[in-house]
């Protein structure tokens, strides 16, 4: 299956659909994203922008999710920022806390007011 994410206002993902890989495979056996885009727009009678996404993160860093944003410069799907203090990792395009998660096998939650991990008891 091939997965495509519909871009809405501000390149925010509105919908994700799957189509058969044969739809996006050209006569030489290569996958072509534009074939999927054309197929979906014809199917729904729209002119929307669709971007292919991958469960194993082979393309665009992360599998797209509803509410994610497509960043054209990075050619990546970026999840919503969970907290104001978190920083985007440019390699993974995922948000990271400014303080590393404790490595003592405990369970923690992020406290944005204290900018620290608090143990869940």
């Amino acid at each position: 299956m091939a997965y495509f994410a519909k871009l809405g206002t501000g390149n925010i993902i509105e919908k994700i659909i799957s189509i058969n890989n044969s739809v996006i495979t050209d006569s030489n056996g290569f996958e072509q994203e534009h074939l999927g885009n054309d197929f979906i727009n014809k199917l729904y009678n729209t002119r929307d922008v669709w971007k292919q996404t991958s469960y194993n993160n082979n393309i665009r860093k992360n599998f797209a999710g509803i509410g994610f944003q497509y960043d054209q410069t990075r050619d990546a799907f970026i999840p919503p920022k969970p907290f104001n203090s978190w920083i985007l990792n440019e390699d993974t395009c995922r948000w990271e806390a400014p303080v590393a998660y404790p490595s003592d096998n405990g369970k923690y939650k992020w406290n944005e007011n204290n900018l620290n991990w608090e143990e869940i008891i």
Side-chain angles (χ1 to χ4, degrees), residues 5-118:
K6 178 184 174 187
L7 305 187
T9 304
N11 287 341
I12 302 298
I13 307 308
E14 295 180 344
K15 183 177 190 175
I16 299 168
I17 65 168
S18 62
I19 58 176
N20 194 294
N21 282 52
S22 64
V23 171
I24 64 169
T25 304
D26 67 15
S27 60
N28 295 316
F30 296 104
E31 288 187 358
Q32 302 291 334
E33 182 176 33
H34 73 89
L35 294 174
N37 203 340
D38 293 346
F39 173 82
I40 296 165
N41 280 323
K42 184 175 181 181
L43 180 69
Y44 289 112
N45 194 28
T46 63
R47 302 186 92 174
D48 296 322
V49 176
W50 296 83
K51 292 289 182 181
Q52 191 171 1
T53 186
S54 169
Y55 265 119
N56 54 16
N57 303 329
N58 284 341
I59 56 173
R60 304 205 163 99
K61 306 280 186 179
N62 300 298
F63 184 78
I66 294 173
F68 281 41
Q69 183 175 33
Y70 174 68
D71 184 305
Q72 188 170 358
T73 303
R74 295 178 178 95
D75 191 27
F77 293 113
I78 300 174
K81 190 173 186 176
F83 299 98
N84 285 334
S85 66
W86 287 34
I87 303 158
L88 186 66
N89 178 316
E90 291 290 338
D91 293 327
T92 65
C93 286
R94 294 184 185 148
W95 298 101
E96 296 179 352
V99 176
Y101 190 86
S103 59
D104 63 1
N105 295 324
K107 293 186 179 184
Y108 295 85
K109 66 178 181 177
W110 181 252
N111 182 319
E112 183 68 4
N113 292 328
N114 296 333
L115 299 178
N116 212 340
W117 293 101
E118 290 183 349

